[in-house]
Amino acid sequence: MNPPFFPNETMNIYTLKDNSDDYDYYGSKNEYVLKETIPVDIQPLSPTSSLREFGKILQDTYKVIFNIEVEIKDTDQLRINDTNYEIIGSISTWNHVLPHKEMLIKKQRKKAL
């Protein structure tokens, strides 16, 4: 099933690998692995939307719309066009008229993956 709007990018979803048996000096080792690649509709968050959501204008923040069947967690890491993003807040599920999921993402300043 295709996303409800017009996919303009491809997003790689990296999920945290379960390394409960693998420890180092700092605790369990965290490693992200590629889970899947999906088409998405990504749009810059408008200044009005940013003010409504956060009370201030945020830079490098985007709204992403994608297929309702995609399983994603707020701890997952995202990569679009060789740029890393993190999920802000919760992922919304819309199941009426055009079923889809929406989330807000922010460009990461440091390389996480």
Side-chain angles (χ1 to χ4, degrees):
M1 184 172 162
N2 290 328
F5 297 95
F6 301 101
N8 57 2
E9 291 292 344
T10 301
M11 180 174 73
N12 295 324
I13 302 172
Y14 292 83
T15 193
L16 196 57
K17 182 180 174 185
D18 180 19
N19 285 338
S20 56
D21 296 333
D22 195 9
Y23 290 91
D24 64 7
Y25 179 75
Y26 301 103
S28 64
K29 291 184 180 180
N30 294 329
E31 180 183 0
Y32 284 90
V33 293
L34 180 63
K35 179 179 169 186
E36 66 180 306
T37 300
I38 62 168
V40 296
D41 180 5
I42 181 170
Q43 303 297 328
L45 194 61
S46 70
T48 304
S49 295
S50 181
L51 280 171
R52 185 175 53 245
E53 291 286 330
F54 305 104
K56 59 183 177 179
I57 297 175
L58 298 178
Q59 299 295 318
D60 298 326
T61 305
Y62 303 89
K63 178 191 224 178
V64 180
I65 302 168
F66 55 98
N67 190 326
I68 195 167
E69 297 172 0
V70 173
E71 292 296 323
I72 190 167
K73 300 176 191 168
D74 57 359
T75 57
D76 289 344
Q77 296 289 315
L78 312 170
R79 184 176 287 163
I80 302 169
N81 291 331
D82 294 327
T83 303
N84 296 327
Y85 295 87
E86 61 184 312
I87 299 170
I88 301 173
S90 300
I91 300 157
S92 303
T93 300
W94 299 86
N95 58 8
H96 54 285
V97 184
L98 293 171
H100 66 281
K101 288 186 180 178
E102 289 183 13
M103 66 182 170
L104 297 177
I105 62 173
K106 182 173 173 57
K107 188 183 290 186
Q108 287 184 332
R109 298 291 181 215
K110 61 183 188 307
K111 186 166 176 81
L113 299 172

Short mmCIF file of all heavy atoms in Angstrom, two decimals, residues 37-70:
data_model
loop_
_atom_site.label_atom_id
_atom_site.label_comp_id
_atom_site.label_asym_id
_atom_site.label_seq_id
_atom_site.Cartn_x
_atom_site.Cartn_y
_atom_site.Cartn_z
N THR A 37 13.49 0.43 4.52
CA THR A 37 13.52 1.65 3.75
C THR A 37 12.11 1.89 3.22
O THR A 37 11.53 0.98 2.63
CB THR A 37 14.52 1.54 2.60
OG1 THR A 37 15.82 1.28 3.16
CG2 THR A 37 14.57 2.80 1.78
N ILE A 38 11.58 3.10 3.45
CA ILE A 38 10.21 3.38 3.05
C ILE A 38 10.10 4.70 2.30
O ILE A 38 10.92 5.60 2.50
CB ILE A 38 9.26 3.43 4.28
CG1 ILE A 38 9.67 4.55 5.24
CG2 ILE A 38 9.21 2.08 4.98
CD1 ILE A 38 8.64 4.85 6.32
N PRO A 39 9.09 4.84 1.43
CA PRO A 39 8.82 6.14 0.80
C PRO A 39 8.07 7.03 1.78
O PRO A 39 7.20 6.56 2.52
CB PRO A 39 7.95 5.78 -0.41
CG PRO A 39 7.29 4.50 -0.03
CD PRO A 39 8.24 3.79 0.89
N VAL A 40 8.40 8.32 1.82
CA VAL A 40 7.75 9.25 2.74
C VAL A 40 7.48 10.58 2.04
O VAL A 40 8.12 10.92 1.05
CB VAL A 40 8.61 9.51 4.00
CG1 VAL A 40 8.78 8.27 4.82
CG2 VAL A 40 9.95 10.12 3.66
N ASP A 41 6.54 11.30 2.59
CA ASP A 41 6.28 12.69 2.19
C ASP A 41 6.86 13.54 3.30
O ASP A 41 6.38 13.50 4.44
CB ASP A 41 4.77 12.91 2.04
CG ASP A 41 4.41 14.33 1.63
OD1 ASP A 41 5.33 15.13 1.37
OD2 ASP A 41 3.21 14.63 1.59
N ILE A 42 7.92 14.28 3.01
CA ILE A 42 8.58 15.11 4.02
C ILE A 42 8.44 16.58 3.63
O ILE A 42 8.68 16.94 2.48
CB ILE A 42 10.06 14.71 4.21
CG1 ILE A 42 10.74 15.56 5.27
CG2 ILE A 42 10.81 14.74 2.91
CD1 ILE A 42 12.12 15.08 5.67
N GLN A 43 8.01 17.38 4.61
CA GLN A 43 7.78 18.80 4.39
C GLN A 43 8.40 19.60 5.53
O GLN A 43 8.32 19.17 6.68
CB GLN A 43 6.28 19.11 4.33
CG GLN A 43 5.52 18.33 3.29
CD GLN A 43 5.96 18.64 1.88
OE1 GLN A 43 6.37 19.76 1.58
NE2 GLN A 43 5.92 17.65 1.01
N PRO A 44 9.00 20.76 5.24
CA PRO A 44 9.52 21.59 6.33
C PRO A 44 8.38 22.03 7.24
O PRO A 44 7.27 22.30 6.78
CB PRO A 44 10.13 22.80 5.61
CG PRO A 44 10.23 22.42 4.19
CD PRO A 44 9.23 21.34 3.92
N LEU A 45 8.63 22.08 8.52
CA LEU A 45 7.63 22.54 9.48
C LEU A 45 7.56 24.06 9.36
O LEU A 45 8.58 24.75 9.46
CB LEU A 45 8.04 22.12 10.89
CG LEU A 45 6.97 22.23 11.96
CD1 LEU A 45 5.78 21.33 11.63
CD2 LEU A 45 7.53 21.85 13.31
N SER A 46 6.37 24.58 9.13
CA SER A 46 6.20 26.02 8.95
C SER A 46 6.44 26.75 10.27
O SER A 46 6.28 26.17 11.35
CB SER A 46 4.79 26.33 8.44
OG SER A 46 3.84 26.09 9.46
N PRO A 47 6.84 28.02 10.21
CA PRO A 47 7.03 28.78 11.45
C PRO A 47 5.76 28.81 12.32
O PRO A 47 5.85 28.72 13.54
CB PRO A 47 7.39 30.19 10.97
CG PRO A 47 8.01 29.95 9.63
CD PRO A 47 7.25 28.79 9.04
N THR A 48 4.58 28.90 11.70
CA THR A 48 3.33 28.90 12.44
C THR A 48 3.13 27.57 13.17
O THR A 48 2.77 27.54 14.35
CB THR A 48 2.13 29.15 11.50
OG1 THR A 48 2.35 30.37 10.80
CG2 THR A 48 0.83 29.23 12.25
N SER A 49 3.38 26.46 12.48
CA SER A 49 3.24 25.14 13.10
C SER A 49 4.26 24.96 14.21
O SER A 49 3.96 24.38 15.25
CB SER A 49 3.42 24.04 12.05
OG SER A 49 2.39 24.08 11.11
N SER A 50 5.48 25.44 13.99
CA SER A 50 6.52 25.33 15.00
C SER A 50 6.15 26.11 16.26
O SER A 50 6.31 25.62 17.38
CB SER A 50 7.85 25.84 14.43
OG SER A 50 8.87 25.72 15.37
N LEU A 51 5.62 27.32 16.08
CA LEU A 51 5.18 28.11 17.23
C LEU A 51 4.04 27.43 17.96
O LEU A 51 4.00 27.41 19.19
CB LEU A 51 4.74 29.51 16.78
CG LEU A 51 5.86 30.50 16.52
CD1 LEU A 51 5.31 31.77 15.86
CD2 LEU A 51 6.56 30.85 17.81
N ARG A 52 3.10 26.83 17.23
CA ARG A 52 1.96 26.16 17.85
C ARG A 52 2.42 24.92 18.63
O ARG A 52 1.96 24.66 19.72
CB ARG A 52 0.94 25.78 16.77
CG ARG A 52 -0.34 25.18 17.33
CD ARG A 52 -1.40 24.91 16.27
NE ARG A 52 -0.92 24.11 15.18
CZ ARG A 52 -0.80 24.52 13.91
NH1 ARG A 52 -1.14 25.75 13.58
NH2 ARG A 52 -0.35 23.72 12.97
N GLU A 53 3.35 24.15 18.06
CA GLU A 53 3.81 22.91 18.69
C GLU A 53 4.78 23.14 19.85
O GLU A 53 4.70 22.47 20.87
CB GLU A 53 4.50 22.01 17.66
CG GLU A 53 3.59 21.42 16.62
CD GLU A 53 2.71 20.31 17.16
OE1 GLU A 53 3.13 19.60 18.10
OE2 GLU A 53 1.59 20.17 16.65
N PHE A 54 5.73 24.06 19.66
CA PHE A 54 6.84 24.20 20.61
C PHE A 54 6.94 25.56 21.30
O PHE A 54 7.74 25.73 22.21
CB PHE A 54 8.17 23.92 19.90
CG PHE A 54 8.20 22.59 19.21
CD1 PHE A 54 8.08 22.49 17.84
CD2 PHE A 54 8.33 21.42 19.94
CE1 PHE A 54 8.09 21.26 17.19
CE2 PHE A 54 8.34 20.18 19.31
CZ PHE A 54 8.23 20.11 17.94
N GLY A 55 6.16 26.53 20.84
CA GLY A 55 6.22 27.86 21.43
C GLY A 55 7.40 28.68 20.95
O GLY A 55 7.65 29.77 21.44
N LYS A 56 8.14 28.16 19.98
CA LYS A 56 9.26 28.88 19.37
C LYS A 56 9.50 28.31 17.97
O LYS A 56 9.01 27.24 17.64
CB LYS A 56 10.53 28.77 20.21
CG LYS A 56 11.01 27.35 20.42
CD LYS A 56 12.23 27.33 21.33
CE LYS A 56 12.65 25.90 21.59
NZ LYS A 56 13.83 25.82 22.44
N ILE A 57 10.24 29.03 17.17
CA ILE A 57 10.53 28.58 15.82
C ILE A 57 11.80 27.74 15.84
O ILE A 57 12.85 28.21 16.28
CB ILE A 57 10.67 29.78 14.85
CG1 ILE A 57 9.35 30.53 14.78
CG2 ILE A 57 11.12 29.30 13.48
CD1 ILE A 57 9.39 31.79 13.96
N LEU A 58 11.68 26.50 15.41
CA LEU A 58 12.82 25.58 15.38
C LEU A 58 13.36 25.47 13.96
O LEU A 58 12.61 25.45 13.00
CB LEU A 58 12.39 24.19 15.86
CG LEU A 58 11.87 24.09 17.28
CD1 LEU A 58 11.44 22.66 17.58
CD2 LEU A 58 12.93 24.53 18.27
N GLN A 59 14.66 25.39 13.84
CA GLN A 59 15.31 25.21 12.55
C GLN A 59 15.47 23.72 12.26
O GLN A 59 15.56 22.91 13.17
CB GLN A 59 16.69 25.88 12.56
CG GLN A 59 16.65 27.37 12.81
CD GLN A 59 15.95 28.12 11.71
OE1 GLN A 59 16.14 27.84 10.53
NE2 GLN A 59 15.12 29.07 12.08
N ASP A 60 15.52 23.37 10.97
CA ASP A 60 15.77 21.98 10.53
C ASP A 60 14.79 20.99 11.14
O ASP A 60 15.17 19.90 11.57
CB ASP A 60 17.21 21.57 10.85
CG ASP A 60 18.23 22.43 10.15
OD1 ASP A 60 17.95 22.86 9.01
OD2 ASP A 60 19.30 22.66 10.70
N THR A 61 13.51 21.37 11.20
CA THR A 61 12.47 20.50 11.71
C THR A 61 11.48 20.23 10.59
O THR A 61 11.11 21.14 9.85
CB THR A 61 11.75 21.15 12.91
OG1 THR A 61 12.74 21.50 13.88
CG2 THR A 61 10.77 20.21 13.55
N TYR A 62 11.05 18.97 10.47
CA TYR A 62 10.21 18.55 9.35
C TYR A 62 9.06 17.70 9.82
O TYR A 62 9.14 17.01 10.82
CB TYR A 62 11.04 17.74 8.34
CG TYR A 62 12.24 18.50 7.83
CD1 TYR A 62 13.46 18.44 8.51
CD2 TYR A 62 12.15 19.30 6.71
CE1 TYR A 62 14.55 19.14 8.07
CE2 TYR A 62 13.25 20.01 6.25
CZ TYR A 62 14.44 19.93 6.94
OH TYR A 62 15.53 20.63 6.50
N LYS A 63 7.99 17.71 9.03
CA LYS A 63 6.84 16.83 9.24
C LYS A 63 6.96 15.71 8.21
O LYS A 63 7.20 15.96 7.03
CB LYS A 63 5.54 17.60 9.02
CG LYS A 63 4.29 16.78 9.16
CD LYS A 63 3.11 17.59 8.66
CE LYS A 63 1.95 17.48 9.57
NZ LYS A 63 0.83 18.31 9.11
N VAL A 64 6.79 14.47 8.66
CA VAL A 64 6.90 13.31 7.79
C VAL A 64 5.58 12.54 7.82
O VAL A 64 5.05 12.26 8.89
CB VAL A 64 8.05 12.37 8.23
CG1 VAL A 64 8.15 11.17 7.33
CG2 VAL A 64 9.36 13.13 8.27
N ILE A 65 5.07 12.22 6.63
CA ILE A 65 3.84 11.45 6.50
C ILE A 65 4.20 10.16 5.78
O ILE A 65 4.90 10.18 4.76
CB ILE A 65 2.80 12.25 5.70
CG1 ILE A 65 2.52 13.58 6.41
CG2 ILE A 65 1.51 11.44 5.53
CD1 ILE A 65 1.73 14.56 5.60
N PHE A 66 3.71 9.02 6.31
CA PHE A 66 4.07 7.74 5.71
C PHE A 66 2.97 6.71 5.95
O PHE A 66 1.98 6.97 6.64
CB PHE A 66 5.43 7.25 6.24
CG PHE A 66 5.51 7.16 7.73
CD1 PHE A 66 5.33 5.95 8.38
CD2 PHE A 66 5.78 8.28 8.49
CE1 PHE A 66 5.41 5.86 9.76
CE2 PHE A 66 5.87 8.20 9.88
CZ PHE A 66 5.68 6.99 10.50
N ASN A 67 3.15 5.54 5.38
CA ASN A 67 2.18 4.45 5.40
C ASN A 67 1.82 4.04 6.83
O ASN A 67 2.69 3.88 7.67
CB ASN A 67 2.76 3.26 4.63
CG ASN A 67 1.76 2.17 4.38
OD1 ASN A 67 0.88 1.92 5.20
ND2 ASN A 67 1.90 1.51 3.26
N ILE A 68 0.54 3.83 7.07
CA ILE A 68 0.04 3.46 8.40
C ILE A 68 0.55 2.09 8.85
O ILE A 68 0.62 1.80 10.04
CB ILE A 68 -1.50 3.52 8.45
CG1 ILE A 68 -2.00 3.51 9.88
CG2 ILE A 68 -2.11 2.40 7.60
CD1 ILE A 68 -3.46 3.87 10.03
N GLU A 69 0.94 1.24 7.93
CA GLU A 69 1.38 -0.11 8.26
C GLU A 69 2.84 -0.20 8.72
O GLU A 69 3.27 -1.24 9.19
CB GLU A 69 1.15 -1.03 7.06
CG GLU A 69 -0.32 -1.16 6.70
CD GLU A 69 -0.56 -1.90 5.41
OE1 GLU A 69 0.42 -2.34 4.77
OE2 GLU A 69 -1.73 -2.04 5.05
N VAL A 70 3.58 0.88 8.59
CA VAL A 70 4.99 0.88 8.99
C VAL A 70 5.11 0.90 10.51
O VAL A 70 4.48 1.72 11.17
CB VAL A 70 5.73 2.09 8.38
CG1 VAL A 70 7.15 2.20 8.92
CG2 VAL A 70 5.73 2.03 6.87
#
